Each structure stands twice: as C-alpha cells, then as structure tokens.
Amino acid sequence: MRLRTLLDMPDLRLEIVTGDDQLDRVIRWVVTTDMLDPSRYLSGRELVLSGLVWRSNPEDSEIFVQGLAKAGVSALAAWDADAGTIPDDLVEACRRHRLPLFRVPEDVAFATVTEEVVRHLSTARAADLTAVLDRHRRLVAGATEGAGLGPVLELVGRDLGMRCWVLTPTGRVVAGSHPLPAGIDPAGVARVFLTAPRLPHRLRSPGLSIFPVAADTTSRVADWFIVCEGDWEEWPAERRALTGELAAIVALERVRSDDRLSVEGRLAQELIRLIVAAAGTDEILPRLELSGLDVLSSFVAVAATARGTGLRPGELRTLLGEILPGPRPVAGLLDEEVIALLPVAEGEHDVARDLHRVLQTLAPGLADSGLAAGVSDVVAAGELRGAVEEARYARRLAAGRTDPVCVVGHDELATHVLLLASVPDDVRHMFRVRLLDPLRKYDEVHKADLIRTLETFLQNSGSWTRCAEQLHLHVNSVRYRIQRIEELTGRNLSRLEDRVDFFLALRLG
C-alpha cells in the first residue's frame, strides 16, 4: 500500500507533518520501536511507529531519523504522550532526511494503527497475488509452456516478503524465490515432510512451514511440497489462502512434468510392451531411438512394484523417473509392475546400490507401501529382453523378503536363477507344484515338517549328521523323514538329478 492510503483511513485520523511530496512511497510492513537506533532490525519500506521514549535531548532526533533513513524506512508515525506534541527537532530531522512524518492522534493506540495497516496490507497483497497466480494457473492448465515456477515464487517473495521453495521428497529443489539458505538441509526438510503426522507442519528450527501440494490425490513419497519461511499458524487468513493458490499451481506444474500422457510417455509404454512380448530387434531398435535413447548405449533394466495400497503404479513410475541416477529413464507399466530402461555410462554400473541408497531415504514415506525392485546387469540394446526378464525375476526375489524397501541386483542372482528367469510363469508354477505339493499337503495333515527337512538336508549337501544337528533331531528321525519324502514324490535323494530338481523347486517357492 502507498503512504497516501494512510490518510484515507478514517479510524486512524493520521496527519501528515512533513513529506507530503513523498506520499507515493510503498509500505511493506509496520513496526513499533522505541530504540534510539533500530536500523539493524529493519529491512526497508516499513511504517515505523514510535512514542519517542528514546528521545532524551534534541540531538537524539538526528540519530534516530538517520538510522531510519539508512534502513530505507518509508515513513515515521509518532506522538509524544508526555509532551503532548511532536518536537521541532524531530520534524526538522525528518525534513532533512526526506522521511515522511505522520502525527498519530493522542486517542489512537499504536496497536490500532498496526492492526489496520496489517489488515489492509494482507488483504491487498493477497488479492493482487491471487489474481496473478490465478492467471498463471490458467496458463498452465491450458498446456502453454509458461515460465515455470521460478517467476511465481519470486513474485511471492518480492511482494509478500515470504521466501518459499518447492522441493521433492528426495530433497531436490525444484524452484525457489531465493537461493536456499546455507543453514537449511533440504534432505532433512524432506524427511520431516515424509514423516510429519499432519500437514501443514511447522518446523521450529530453522523456522519453516511445510505444505503438501496434492495431499488428497498423491502419495507423499511421489509428491512435491512447498517450504515457506515463518510460522503458518501465525499468518492471517489471506496469506494461508494464498498458499492454497500456490499449491494448486505447483500441482499443475507437477502434472506437466509427468510424461505419461505425452507422446514420449506413450512411446516408452509401447517400447516396454514390445520388449516383454519378445518382439524382434528390427521393431525394438527404431522405437528405442524414437524414445530418445541411443541404440549404441549400454542399458540397465529396473523392475519395481509397491506393496500395499499407499503408492499407485503410476506414482511409482513417476518416482522412479525422479530417483534413478543419470538421464531420465524410459519407463512403462505392466499391470502393477513398473519397468524402466536406464542408459548407463561406462564405469557407472552400480545402479542397484544407488537405487537402494535413495530408497532408504524415502523409507519413512513408504511405511504403508513397501517397495521391491530388481536391477539387471548392463546389456547392449539388442539384449534388452533378457535384461528386463532378469530385472523382473530379481524384483520377485526382492518381493519375497521382509524388508520394507528391498533392491536385488543382478549380482545376487545365481546361474540357475538367470536360466529360470526366461521360463514362463505357468511352467515354473507347474514344476514347483508337482514336486512340493505332496510334501506340503502331508505336512498340513501330519505336522511332519518334511519341506523344512528337505531344505536343510540339501543345504548341508546331503549330510545326515549336520542336518540332524541343525534340526535338533536324531539321525534316524532324519532318515525316516527323507524316506517319507522319497515315497511321496517318487524321487531318490541319493541321485544328483533329483537333488537339483528339489533345490530348484524350493528356490521357486
């Protein structure tokens, strides 16, 4: 608001004493002080209220006004209740430093002035910024390129004096009104966002407020969030409403960054389906190039699923695009499973380790939806189907473990597992059922623990003694159980071929 607006507020009845040629100055905020030199606590464009308690002699007026002028204050409003006037030396100092001076009526409290000015500032700024933000939102919704979030956040920071930033759950800063202060750890703030029981959330140190962007539609671990300086609980209603407008714009920009509905996204989806369907390289390689990948590059395949209902497949696909190292991957959905192809540079092949490290930072946000991922070995473009099958099998192994976040890399897969990865699911199921179902049914009826005995026997390379010790049984009891296994399955565990079959069936189970 401008200084001349103060003269139009009937409840305040302020009078201009000096500086009527400066009434177009802008007021950003209002501050009450009785310090002789308050300049260190001022940042410019304030309306300063003072009862002149600091004045003990005429020379003090020069010190006080000089400090205000140096700090860039817009105006001073004063009244000396004891003297019942404004001293001439203060008027002269304000005139000399070109600082507008207002007289506050004796029956008007400084608190009343502050309340009226703050209400006017909040309402006017919120209305102006809401209109600007609404125009920007319509531009974004119209699928125009726009200028991104940076200018919008700069507008909020400049006109409201509220510094704010947009971050991802990994702590990456998407945009901000100012550079992020050195004392703020973005990864630490992201952890607070993921674990806060309710949002918005107040972070007392270093004095931040955290707001969700799309809390009703998006899992936190796949969402962006807004961080603002200050305590949101102390803000006026207009400023709180403005954060809702800002969140709506960020949500639209978040959707724009998601390529699922773009041409590139549809090409990626089709490429993944062709690879899984075992299409020829003459079909796959051209689609690879159309998806923006170099057919001469090396690739790693990643397969991932979320356990539980907290993270939807589409959100998981977006999350992988955010956290996988290197260039943005090409990713597609196969029912509930996300398959991604990641180009890797020579010497940068430990994708499983990097992925696990990042997922561990997100683990607090995955409490309701654990995540299992598998990572293939590095392959050439012509070997993508094998890499995808390897990643999917590794993902199935990860899903069978109890860790909330589990990543299985290609180095954990033994040779026989690599071979099994190319066997159709129905064949694997039939193989497992034929060998193990007779034992499982017998165990259910007789509580004989045959399957555990078989697994322990094979783990100990057929040693009766070591198997008995591990199971805390007599050797004769182990012999009886093995004999029963052979009778139920028609196999002979003294034969290597039968031992291998049982070993594979157990691994498949």
Side-chain angles (χ1 to χ4, degrees):
M1 62 179 287
R2 299 188 185 277
L3 288 178
R4 65 177 67 257
T5 306
L6 295 172
L7 302 175
D8 297 330
M9 294 181 174
D11 292 341
L12 300 187
R13 308 193 314 277
L14 300 183
E15 300 176 16
I16 184 73
V17 177
T18 181
D20 52 358
D21 59 336
Q22 301 289 320
L23 291 178
D24 283 331
R25 287 189 179 187
V26 173
I27 303 172
R28 181 182 61 83
W29 202 239
V30 58
V31 175
T32 300
T33 182
D34 279 308
M35 297 178 62
L36 180 59
D37 183 7
S39 58
R40 74 181 73 176
Y41 302 106
L42 301 171
S43 57
R45 294 196 293 174
E46 294 95 346
L47 170 65
V48 172
L49 306 178
S50 179
L52 311 187
V53 175
W54 47 264
R55 183 179 178 275
S56 58
N57 56 67
E59 289 74 20
D60 288 341
S61 293
E62 174 65 20
I63 297 173
F64 181 74
V65 173
Q66 185 179 34
L68 298 187
K70 182 179 179 181
V73 165
S74 294
L76 169 65
W79 181 252
D80 188 338
D82 293 335
T85 185
I86 296 179
D88 292 340
D89 48 88
L90 179 61
V91 176
E92 181 57 32
C94 288
R95 185 178 292 117
R96 185 164 49 252
H97 290 282
R98 295 183 58 78
L99 180 68
L101 174 62
F102 291 85
R103 178 185 292 110
V104 181
E106 186 175 3
D107 60 340
V108 176
F110 283 174
T112 301
V113 177
T114 299
E115 183 179 348
E116 287 294 317
V117 173
V118 168
R119 182 182 296 116
H120 190 282
L121 285 172
S122 298
T123 303
R125 287 173 179 168
D128 291 344
L129 283 171
T130 298
V132 173
L133 294 176
D134 187 57
R135 288 197 297 271
H136 184 87
R137 186 172 57 207
R138 289 199 300 268
L139 286 174
V140 174
T144 58
E145 284 301 318
L149 293 175
V152 178
L153 298 181
E154 290 171 7
L155 173 69
V156 173
R158 182 179 66 250
D159 288 6
L160 266 184
M162 183 172 72
R163 301 203 292 180
C164 50
W165 301 267
V166 176
L167 278 73
T168 71
T170 61
R172 178 174 66 87
V173 179
V174 178
S177 61
H178 300 75
L180 198 66
I184 297 178
D185 174 25
V189 175
R191 283 194 296 273
V192 173
F193 166 70
L194 290 172
T195 57
R198 290 188 303 170
L199 294 171
H201 179 78
R202 177 180 56 183
L203 189 59
R204 293 186 181 275
S205 178
L208 302 173
S209 292
I210 300 174
F211 299 88
V213 168
D216 296 333
T217 59
T218 308
S219 170
R220 283 194 202 180
V221 78
D223 202 5
W224 290 352
F225 63 98
I226 300 171
V227 179
C228 299
E229 282 191 337
D231 183 352
W232 71 277
E233 294 181 343
E234 298 179 356
W235 292 351
E238 294 85 358
R239 179 170 289 200
R240 294 191 192 183
L242 181 61
T243 60
E245 290 289 330
L246 184 58
I249 288 177
V250 176
L252 288 170
E253 290 284 350
R254 182 74 178 93
V255 171
R256 275 170 28 100
S257 71
D258 188 349
D259 69 349
R260 276 179 287 175
L261 301 179
S262 67
V263 174
E264 293 80 5
R266 291 195 295 270
L267 285 172
Q269 181 70 29
E270 183 61 24
L271 173 62
I272 296 300
R273 292 195 179 280
L274 284 173
I275 292 172
V276 173
T281 54
D282 56 333
E283 289 187 81
I284 292 175
L285 295 185
R287 295 299 180 99
L288 203 63
E289 290 184 317
L290 285 174
S291 299
L293 300 178
D294 185 356
V295 296
L296 299 179
S297 294
S298 298
F299 297 90
V300 162
V302 178
T305 54
R307 298 192 288 261
T309 58
L311 189 64
R312 294 186 289 270
E315 294 175 342
L316 176 57
R317 180 183 181 278
T318 301
L319 178 63
L320 285 183
E322 167 72 25
I323 66 177
L324 284 175
R328 186 182 181 94
V330 168
L333 285 173
L334 293 175
D335 297 324
E336 302 293 311
E337 189 174 28
V338 180
I339 308 294
L341 303 177
L342 180 68
V344 292
E346 187 174 353
E348 299 179 0
H349 297 159
D350 204 343
V351 175
R353 181 196 62 193
D354 295 340
L355 179 59
H356 186 267
R357 175 179 52 80
V358 176
L359 286 175
Q360 285 299 322
T361 67
L362 298 175
L366 292 167
D368 296 329
S369 56
L371 193 148
V375 181
S376 76
D377 198 358
V378 180
V379 299
E383 303 169 324
L384 287 175
R385 180 175 183 270
V388 168
E389 288 298 323
E390 183 179 335
R392 297 183 76 187
Y393 195 87
R395 195 274 307 162
R396 287 194 288 271
L397 290 181
R401 299 178 181 177
T402 57
D403 299 341
V405 173
C406 185
V407 180
V408 171
H410 69 91
D411 53 343
E412 292 190 52
L413 303 180
T415 305
H416 70 276
V417 177
L418 296 180
L419 293 175
L420 291 174
S422 61
V423 178
D425 287 342
D426 56 346
V427 175
R428 288 197 292 266
H429 177 73
M430 180 179 64
F431 179 77
R432 182 176 66 251
V433 166
R434 285 186 175 179
L435 276 174
L436 299 183
D437 261 22
L439 307 182
R440 185 170 291 110
K441 291 176 180 178
Y442 189 88
D443 281 345
E444 290 174 356
V445 174
H446 301 280
K447 312 299 181 185
D449 222 4
L450 294 185
I451 289 183
R452 182 183 174 216
T453 302
L454 173 63
E455 189 170 16
T456 305
F457 182 74
L458 294 175
Q459 288 174 349
N460 287 280
S461 303
S463 169
W464 305 97
T465 303
R466 289 200 301 271
C467 181
E469 290 175 352
Q470 192 166 333
L471 293 174
H472 305 291
L473 295 173
H474 192 277
V475 172
N476 288 340
S477 297
V478 174
R479 292 183 184 276
Y480 172 79
R481 290 187 181 183
I482 296 300
Q483 180 181 353
R484 176 60 65 186
I485 290 171
E486 291 175 336
E487 292 172 352
L488 291 171
T489 61
R491 298 299 185 105
N492 184 351
L493 280 168
S494 65
R495 298 177 66 245
L496 176 62
E497 294 88 341
D498 287 340
R499 288 190 185 184
V500 170
D501 284 348
F502 277 122
F503 174 76
L504 293 178
L506 289 167
R507 291 300 300 269
L508 287 171

